[in-house]
């Protein structure tokens, strides 16, 4: 079977299509024929070795995390899944595993059943982006109806899902994005939109119950004056300083600083499936490509040239 792999860190040129044996599922695992993989910024960050000091993936590694497909074999002790069932999920890349591959094996704790009314393209786009938004706004910040939330990167995979989730909760949503995407962010449900190329939300003088920096473009110190006295600040690109602030802030303040570290599990996948099936989360698909085009698409993502998700069609 074909797999898109890298055996050293570097630019997209390190990616190579290779032939690998089809993997066999172990206990509590299923084998999945991948129909669609979806790309995320974490894919090019892992490939470039950006996390190697904190979490070193095994090399050689298959690129990609998110996927949708169909179960083709069951390992031992698997309950609640059947051969032929459509599933989606996100691979843990630390053991060199990835989603840009024809067949993968994955623990049943990392997948969910794909709802009948959503396509594999949509299902593949859910786990990392919408999963991060859901864990940040619902699990961590416990966003409630009537609260005000500011979401940066509101036109991106994480931020757009966050706008849609916050809107469905009944929060008052301010989205931050670039000029070209202002109309899109309004259309998916933001009450107000700030164009970061023309104005800085950090100086706008508004107060929010939750600030979700999905673009990772600010610090807690910069955001503090825009937070309510019990407000939550969350950031998807955590720094050491942010982790320290998250530990010590509760000693002196009712505000909270949350370095977002998305963790996928079966419960998260089933909540994402429910939200996608009821059209709360509707990912914007920018490109549908083949395995041969992944390297170019990762480069374009890295250069900020793609607005929306990239789906990689691998099989029917
Ligand atoms: N820690 C975690 O667990 C975790 C999980 C998922 C993602 N992430 C990280 O979160 C970030 C976003 O991921 P994504 O999938 O949403 O990426 P994406 O789809 O590429 O979107 C990034 C968005 O950020 C916006 N942006 C760029 N500069 C900005 C600024 N100065 N102010 C406000 N918005 C700005 C862009 O808006 P325009 O295109 O409109 O200019 C773009 O839509 C990435 O760095 C990713 O690695 C972290």
């Amino acid at each position: 079977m074909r797999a898109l792999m890298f055996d050293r860190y570097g630019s997209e040129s390190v990616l190579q299509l290779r032939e690998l044996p089809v993997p066999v599922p172990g206990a509590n695992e299923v084998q999945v024929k991948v129909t669609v993989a979806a790309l995320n910024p974490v894919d090019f960050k892992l490939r470039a070795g950006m996390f190697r000091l904190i979490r070193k993936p095994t090399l050689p590694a298959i690129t990609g995390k998110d996927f949708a497909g169909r179960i083709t074999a069951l390992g031992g002790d698997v309950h609640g899944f059947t051969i032929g069932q459509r599933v989606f999920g996100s691979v843990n890349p630390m053991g060199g595993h990835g989603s840009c591959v024809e067949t993968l094996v994955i623990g049943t704790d990392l997948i969910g059943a794909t709802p009948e009314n959503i396509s594999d393209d949509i299902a593949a786009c859910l786990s990392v982006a919408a999963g991060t938004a859901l864990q940040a706004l619902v699990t961590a910040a416990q966003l409630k109806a009537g609260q005000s939330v500011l979401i940066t990167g509101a036109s991106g995979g994480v931020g757009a899902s966050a706008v849609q989730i916050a809107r469905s909760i009944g929060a008052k949503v301010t989205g931050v994005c670039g000029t070209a995407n202002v109309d899109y962010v309004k259309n998916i449900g933001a009450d107000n939109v700030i164009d970061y190329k023309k104005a800085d939300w950090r100086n706008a003088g508004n107060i929010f119950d939750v600030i979700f920096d999905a673009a990772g473009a600010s610090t807690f110190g910069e955001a503090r004056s825009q937070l309510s006295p019990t407000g939550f600040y969350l950031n998807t690109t955590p720094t050491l300083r942010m982790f320290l602030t998250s530990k010590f802030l509760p000693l002196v303040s009712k505000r909270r600083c949350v370095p977002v570290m998305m963790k996928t599990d079966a419960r998260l996948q089933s909540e994402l499936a429910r939200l996608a099936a009821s059209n709360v989360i509707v990912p914007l698909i920018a490109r549908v490509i083949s395995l041969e085009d992944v390297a170019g698409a990762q480069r374009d993502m890295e250069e900020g040239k793609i607005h929306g998700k990239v789906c990689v069609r691998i099989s029917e």
Side-chain angles (χ1 to χ4, degrees), residues 152-202:
T152 75
S155 55
V158 177
S161 306
V163 170
Q164 293 168 346
I165 291 165
R167 178 73 180 186
S168 78
I169 289 171
K172 284 176 280 178
V173 183
T174 298
V176 182
C177 65
T179 317
N181 299 319
V182 167
D183 286 344
Y184 167 71
V185 173
K186 272 187 196 151
N187 286 339
I188 58 170
D191 300 288
N192 305 301
V193 181
I194 298 173
D195 177 349
Y196 70 82
K197 296 189 176 172
K198 296 184 177 156
D200 188 346
W201 59 268
R202 287 163 288 204

Side-chain angles (χ1 to χ4, degrees), residues 35-95:
T35 51
V36 181
L39 306 186
N40 291 283
V42 68
D43 305 338
F44 65 74
K45 292 180 181 181
L46 281 163
R47 187 212 67 219
M50 280 172 69
F51 302 125
R52 69 184 154 205
L53 294 180
I54 37 172
R55 295 159 76 209
K56 201 171 180 177
T58 309
L59 292 176
I62 300 169
T63 194
K65 274 174 66 71
D66 285 354
F67 71 91
R70 211 173 266 285
I71 294 180
T72 41
L74 305 175
D77 279 339
V78 170
H79 306 284
F81 290 98
T82 52
I83 291 179
Q85 185 176 1
R86 292 172 65 222
V87 292
F88 71 103
S90 196
V91 173
N92 177 350
M94 285 307 129

Side-chain angles (χ1 to χ4, degrees), residues 25-30 74-79 81 106-111:
N28 303 306
E29 288 182 337
V30 293
L74 305 175
D77 279 339
V78 170
H79 306 284
F81 290 98
I106 188 163
T108 50
D109 55 335
L110 297 176
I111 57 172

Side-chain angles (χ1 to χ4, degrees), residues 153-270:
S155 55
V158 177
S161 306
V163 170
Q164 293 168 346
I165 291 165
R167 178 73 180 186
S168 78
I169 289 171
K172 284 176 280 178
V173 183
T174 298
V176 182
C177 65
T179 317
N181 299 319
V182 167
D183 286 344
Y184 167 71
V185 173
K186 272 187 196 151
N187 286 339
I188 58 170
D191 300 288
N192 305 301
V193 181
I194 298 173
D195 177 349
Y196 70 82
K197 296 189 176 172
K198 296 184 177 156
D200 188 346
W201 59 268
R202 287 163 288 204
N203 304 319
N206 299 314
I207 300 295
F208 298 96
D209 298 303
V210 176
I211 294 176
F212 178 32
D213 189 357
S218 69
T219 62
F220 173 74
E222 290 168 337
R224 181 173 34 205
S225 62
Q226 319 289 308
L227 267 185
S228 71
T230 55
F232 274 80
Y233 171 81
L234 308 102
N235 189 310
T236 56
T237 313
T239 58
L240 177 62
R241 193 186 176 102
M242 233 169 259
F243 282 104
L244 292 173
T245 306
S246 72
K247 284 253 170 293
F248 295 110
L249 189 65
L251 304 176
V252 294
S253 170
K254 290 201 163 124
R255 291 182 175 126
R256 294 290 178 266
C257 171
V258 181
V260 175
M261 297 292 285
M262 189 262 183
K263 246 183 115 179
T264 182
D265 60 32
R267 225 180 62 189
L268 179 74
Q269 306 296 12
S270 76

